[in-house]
Amino acid sequence: MGEPTHAVHVHHAPKGFIRKYIFSTDHKVIGIQYYFLALFSVVLGMLLSVLFRLHLAWPNANWDLLGKLFPTGMAGGLMTPEFYLSLVTMHGTLMVFFVLTTAPQSGFGNYFLPIQIGADDMAFPVLNMLSFWITFVALVVMVMALFATGGAPLSGWTAYPPLSALGKISGPGEGLGQTLWVISLAIFCVGSLLGALNFITTTLNLRAKGMTLLRMPLTVWAWFTTSILALLAFPVLLAGGILLVLDRVGGTSFFIPAGLVVNEQLVNHSGGSPLLWQHLFWFFGHPEVYIAILPGMGVASQLLSTFSRKPVFGYKAMFSAMLAIGFLGFFVWGHHMFISGMSPYSAVAFSLLTLAIGVPSAIKTFNWLGTLWQGKIQFTSAMLFAIGFVSLFVTGGVSGIFLGQTSLDLYLHDTYFVVGHFHMIMGVAALFGIFGATYYWFPKMFGRMLNEPLGKIHFWFTFIGVNAIFFPMHIMGVAGHPRRYSDASNFNYLSSMHPLHEFITVAAIVTATAQLFFLLNFFWSLWKGKKAEMNPWNATTLEWTVPSPPPHDNFGGKLPVVYHGAYEYSVPGAKQDFIMQDSPEKIIEAT
Amino acid sequence: MSDAEVRVEALGAGDWGGGSLPYAVGSKKFGMWLFIISDALTFSALLIAYGYVRLANKNWPEPFEFYPSLVTATVMTLCLLSSSLTMVMAVAARKREDRPATMKWLWATIAGGLAFLVLHANEWLKLIGEGMRPFSNPWGSPLFGASFFTLTGLHMFHVVTGVCFLGVVAVATGRGKFTSEDVEMSGLYWHFVDLVWMFIFPLVYVLSIHHG
Amino acid sequence: MSHPAGAEHAEPASKLFIWVWIWLLLLTAVEVVLGYEQYPVKLMLTMLMSLSVIKAALIMAYFMHLRFEKLKLVLTLVPALVVILCLFSIFFFPDSLRLMNLGWGR
Amino acid sequence: MVGLRSGTRDAGQIDQREDVNMGLAIALVLVLLCVVSVIMFSGHYWWFPPLISTYTGYDKQFMLTLIIVAIVFILAQLALGYFVWKYRDRAGRKATYVEGNNTMEVLWTSITFVIFIGLGILGQRVWAQFHFAEPPANAMEVEVTGQQFQWNIRYPGADGQFGRTEAKYVDESALNFVGVDPHDPAGKDDIASINRMVIPVNQPVKVLLHSKDVTHSFFVPGLRIKQDAVPGMTITIHFTATKTGEYEIPCAELCGLGHYKMRGILDVRTPVEYQQWLKKQASQE
């Protein structure tokens, strides 16, 4: 911050390893840092899920090896219920916050938003670096929670008080582990909202000449909308987190009512309300769902258009739908609380608003189909994942029509139907967005191509695998299987569902193993992959006008000028079947 | 090239066409505004939470006396409001490129912030002396103390941050560094801290005055 | 980025700010008087919140310069905050009252 | 500059045969997805437990939603599969430059809006029956208190009045789980039961639901109802069971390590049997 003026950005590539790769202010390095943070978290989160799936399918089997690995949680090779719940909690938390929020938004967004709008960096490079390191600290604290004395937290990723607020007396995992969990989340909030304000400012102020709002790629629209959601949602979770930390360590009672007797101990708290946390949490939590999925929507639009060699069908409808989803996303948090004891009148309003938000989601689906219609579809691995995204989005979306209805939620709430629903849509659909983006942008980020055959094998295993995992969960929900049960054998009516548990676990293990194809492909290609050209996919957006990988200041000191929309494919009369955004070539108006 | 320029003007004319600042506000200032919006939401959520628990508790205490509690709080308000005024003067001076005047007004602002902090800390100590804790108080619902300390504590944290921030700006200005936008940005933050107090003052103090 | 033409506004005079400051002090004084007089809670709350909103608006408009910025900056920033505050008020407080009415052991 | 940027790869470089297969494979898998879904949801291999309550509207609303959703789901998946197969890259194939179609946008926006909101409004009927309708005047009262990890059931006894409860009277060794005030005469004849809620068939029941420690959720699949038991609140729900038998009451809100074994029994008996049980319990008190 030494210069007297910041009017002119002068970029010198930093020298020295630490400034270049660790504490870098280059948005591209930060993007890759976020990506690797997410990669670490997703592998960890996935391993945790495989562990608890093993337990669900064979609750009485003896896993001696695991018993040695986790001497307390799996003493003698048998999983304790508290360890099961800890795994579920940590799986959810890691995946939602450190994978689905970081990879598509902070990872790819950081790398490609500035390039796609023709900027040489983010508006606040130092703040950008700070956001990453704050997120990193949050992850470190979260991993510490996993290994905390007294056990990892087990109150689920939603951490409903009083269970999460009472401390040790409410059971194992509710001591230090839960405290670290809340602190990690609060830190994460700060990092995310700083990142969000950086994204918004960059998008509005740093677009290159001619990059009008209506020429921005839909990925940019998605990152932009997501940032607005993050900016407005995370502060509310931060407030909730502050109150929960105070309840846990400061002795306050914001979320703890009077007259509780926990484990035969009279609790010395009074006056609080468990519902207050649920309101604060879900006010954040529902927009968070869209924070996870919106970038995936942007990526899917981009890929479907590029590999169908067609403009996005209904570009304006597409970004309007995204903005509508973002806007309405703030009005529907109560659908998580239909049976929570919330006013049933509020529930009616929330229900109708929730169903209304299905409309822009449906618009997006129709427009994706419209993009494929009459196209010239090239089945690259990236495209396969985009097609998979649409299919999963439909599957996950339609089950929302059930859950959005107050009355149907009376039975389906907190059953496996919900688990199946949100895994389909904000879990694997968003993950397919991340995979699609990886196959698409890897050449740009690392200068080498990913192996296509391996990518296709990865796709098929993953696509069929996730359907096999999450589809049966809907059926289990209909049959009334509550979620977060470490062992269903206590209930007669659940016992018939055991074959489904076994089937899901086998599918999960196969799918998880198939991810080795991806990791292998990723790390092998990083060093040995075919060298990537500047524009291997014949795509139109600005990142394909610069070398792979781009130089430190993206455009070599001269910012681009934009003449075209983001998806000018197969324009009649054009020299090629695509027109780059910065190409001065004229479009003969097709009427 | 000039042909291309003409076409760009035609295609992407206006504030949203790229290559311009759509709000005619620099990135730093705009970024600070966005930060303020999100921070305002944190405070809003906390204030709403305060209203929520207060409404749900019949035994909510109103222990403050008009004198000295409200009078002290009024003096604190005066300190903050006046420091906002001096901050405005500092920003204006910096825009005139009058660095000595900028520094003078900035130090005055810091003095106002420090006065607020001293009075506030004094009040906290007094309340703690009377037996008020985050988890209990002698008068009624324990959430009175909890929400008081949370709200004013977080606000105090913001004031401390602001004082440090302004200190950095003042020193840098003295050394001929920092642009007028930097000063303005710090000013926005300071006014926001003031603005939050405008809600804490009536909700936490005026509405907790003991009925005669 | 250099400031585009037209971004520099004519600076309002210091006198204006002093007037705003005086108004803020006066409004605070009204709040203090309300605190001394003590009206019924609902009335107090309405009056105090109205005064606070006016004060906040004054601070934002003059001290924070929003009055002298482009209108669309105001339209970008303020509605989001207002909408969310309305949402909080509409959906949080019914449950607060519900809590009071359904309280256990009362 | 432009020439430099254009890639060297064109459509011809992709193996044509592979593309035919890939399009076909996706189409087939999506068809398979639809077929399996239909079989799974219509075969009822795993399905709702039989309905035992007067909330019959639930199943109707579910089936209506299921049919509409199934149509949307199948159409969308099949369209996706068909397009992917039909418009795959082949020799001589050219993409049509289409930027969109406003008529279509308006059409599908309004159709989905009407369907979704229509379903939403229809769905409120069961909700209103459960939440807005007052329990019938002849409803019997039962108090259900969640606790880690059991359901405490309490009946008001002969006087029809529950004894006062307070946390400080909780004494689990004396089986006073909910903290009935020993000095309150109304509490003397209260009947307590752990994890077994006996009710007469076809008798409206009003349940006063709360929790003494963390949030639990009262879920009886056969009744098609679920309601969180929230500490600090007493939430009233009501239902009428129409079939005798024993039905399980799982806890549906994560309440700690024993969540999975928090099991209650809703024991629906004939009125005569119910009275006998009540008498037996009262004599044991």
Side-chain angles (χ1 to χ4, degrees), chain A residues 183-220:
Chain A
I183 290 172
S184 165
L185 234 56
I187 299 172
F188 187 87
C189 289
V190 176
S192 291
L193 66 89
L194 291 181
L197 75 88
N198 207 345
F199 273 54
I200 297 174
T201 312
T202 307
T203 313
L204 288 174
N205 271 1
L206 295 190
R207 278 167 294 125
K209 253 197 179 138
M211 180 57 85
T212 61
L213 293 181
L214 292 184
R215 284 187 192 143
M216 294 199 309
L218 285 171
T219 39
V220 174

Side-chain angles (χ1 to χ4, degrees), chain B residues 94-211:
Chain B
R94 184 63 187 80
K95 275 197 179 157
R96 294 193 309 266
E97 295 290 337
D98 185 349
R99 281 176 191 268
T102 312
M103 285 187 43
K104 190 184 77 187
W105 287 118
L106 278 173
W107 287 118
T109 311
I110 292 171
L114 286 175
F116 174 87
L117 282 176
V118 169
L119 286 170
H120 209 350
N122 191 38
E123 195 205 3
W124 268 43
L125 289 176
K126 198 182 121 243
L127 286 168
I128 291 168
E130 285 172 19
M132 186 154 115
R133 300 283 185 278
F135 42 85
S136 71
N137 64 68
W139 313 294
S141 172
L143 280 167
F144 176 76
S147 45
F148 177 86
F149 284 124
T150 309
L151 280 167
T152 58
L154 193 71
H155 180 259
M156 224 198 285
F157 171 72
H158 275 74
V159 178
V160 172
T161 319
V163 166
C164 297
F165 188 12
L166 290 177
V168 172
V169 174
V171 170
T173 307
R175 292 189 185 159
K177 293 176 178 172
F178 277 19
T179 59
S180 134
E181 193 187 355
D182 291 318
V183 180
E184 222 181 322
M185 182 177 75
S186 64
L188 283 179
Y189 177 82
W190 189 255
H191 297 311
F192 169 68
V193 172
D194 186 12
L195 190 152
V196 171
W197 185 255
M198 293 306 124
F199 288 89
I200 293 181
F201 173 69
L203 286 173
V204 175
Y205 287 93
V206 181
L207 284 177
S208 302
I209 301 292
H210 182 63
H211 284 72

Side-chain angles (χ1 to χ4, degrees), chain B residues 69-84:
Chain B
S69 290
L70 191 61
V71 175
T72 318
T74 311
V75 176
M76 280 153 61
T77 312
L78 181 72
C79 289
L80 270 192
L81 280 175
S82 307
S83 74
S84 255

Side-chain angles (χ1 to χ4, degrees), chain A residues 81-82 85 154-156 160-163 170 172 257 259-262 264 266 274 308-314 317 338-341 344-345 347-348 351-352 355-356 358-359 362-363 366-367 369 372-379 384 387 391 394-395 398 401-402 405-408 410-415 456 460 463 467 471 475 478-480 483-487 490-493 496-497 500 533-536 538 545 568-572 576 582, chain D residues 2 5-9 11 14 18-19 22-23 25-26 29-30 33 36-37 40-41 46-49 58 61-62 65-66 69 72-73 76-77 79-80 83-84 87-89 93-101 105 108-109 112-113 116-117 119-121 123-124 126-127 130-132 148 167-168 170 172-173 211-215 217 219 221 224-228 230-233 235 248-257 259-263:
Chain A
E82 57 268 33
L85 287 176
L154 50 69
S155 55
Y160 278 11
L163 182 60
S170 63
L260 295 195
V261 184
V262 183
E264 300 191 52
L266 193 61
S308 303
R309 314 309 295 164
K310 261 190 73 193
V312 168
F313 193 90
F338 285 157
I339 64 151
S340 69
Y345 297 95
V348 174
S351 169
L352 294 179
L355 290 157
V359 177
I363 293 173
F366 291 131
N367 280 303
L369 293 176
L372 291 168
W373 177 67
Q374 296 199 336
K376 183 181 166 202
I377 299 169
Q378 299 167 343
F379 297 105
L384 290 179
I387 293 168
S391 171
V394 171
T395 313
V398 291
I401 309 293
F402 293 89
Q405 296 180 36
T406 45
S407 52
L408 296 187
L410 271 177
Y411 177 94
L412 295 173
H413 186 91
D414 260 332
T415 63
K456 280 168 189 160
W460 281 111
F463 183 62
N467 272 298
F471 192 87
I475 301 282
V478 171
R483 63 195 280 209
R484 290 163 172 167
Y485 269 31
S486 61
D487 185 352
N490 289 291
F491 286 84
N492 299 330
Y493 85 103
S496 69
M497 280 176 253
L500 283 177
E533 299 150 21
M534 192 183 265
N535 188 2
N538 288 348
T545 66
E568 295 296 351
Y569 291 103
S570 302
V571 182
Q576 291 164 306
D582 69 338
Chain D
V2 175
R5 278 184 206 139
S6 67
T8 49
R9 194 189 59 107
I14 295 177
E18 184 202 62
D19 270 8
M22 196 57 83
I26 295 175
V29 165
L30 292 180
L33 176 65
V36 172
S37 317
M40 291 298 283
F41 273 97
W46 292 276
W47 203 243
F48 290 101
Y58 186 94
Q61 180 69 16
F62 185 89
T65 310
L66 182 63
V69 156
V72 174
F73 172 78
Q77 298 287 8
L80 179 65
F83 287 173
V84 165
Y87 300 115
R88 68 192 184 273
D89 190 359
R93 161 130 213 102
K94 270 197 149 165
T96 317
Y97 183 82
V98 189
E99 284 184 285
N101 184 324
E105 300 284 353
W108 60 47
T109 306
T112 42
F113 185 82
F116 289 0
I117 297 294
L119 270 178
I121 291 169
Q124 301 305 332
V126 185
W127 184 255
F130 183 56
H131 271 297
F132 301 146
Q148 287 177 326
K168 68 177 177 193
V170 170
E172 306 207 348
S173 54
S211 163
K212 60 186 261 199
D213 41 34
V214 303
T215 307
S217 195
F219 177 31
R224 308 287 188 265
I225 57 165
K226 182 181 289 155
Q227 176 61 52
D228 279 6
V230 185
M233 280 169 95
I235 298 169
E248 287 166 310
I249 311 173
C251 173
E253 188 66 75
L254 178 58
C255 56
L257 70 103
H259 175 50
Y260 69 104
K261 55 183 179 188
M262 183 162 166
R263 175 174 180 264

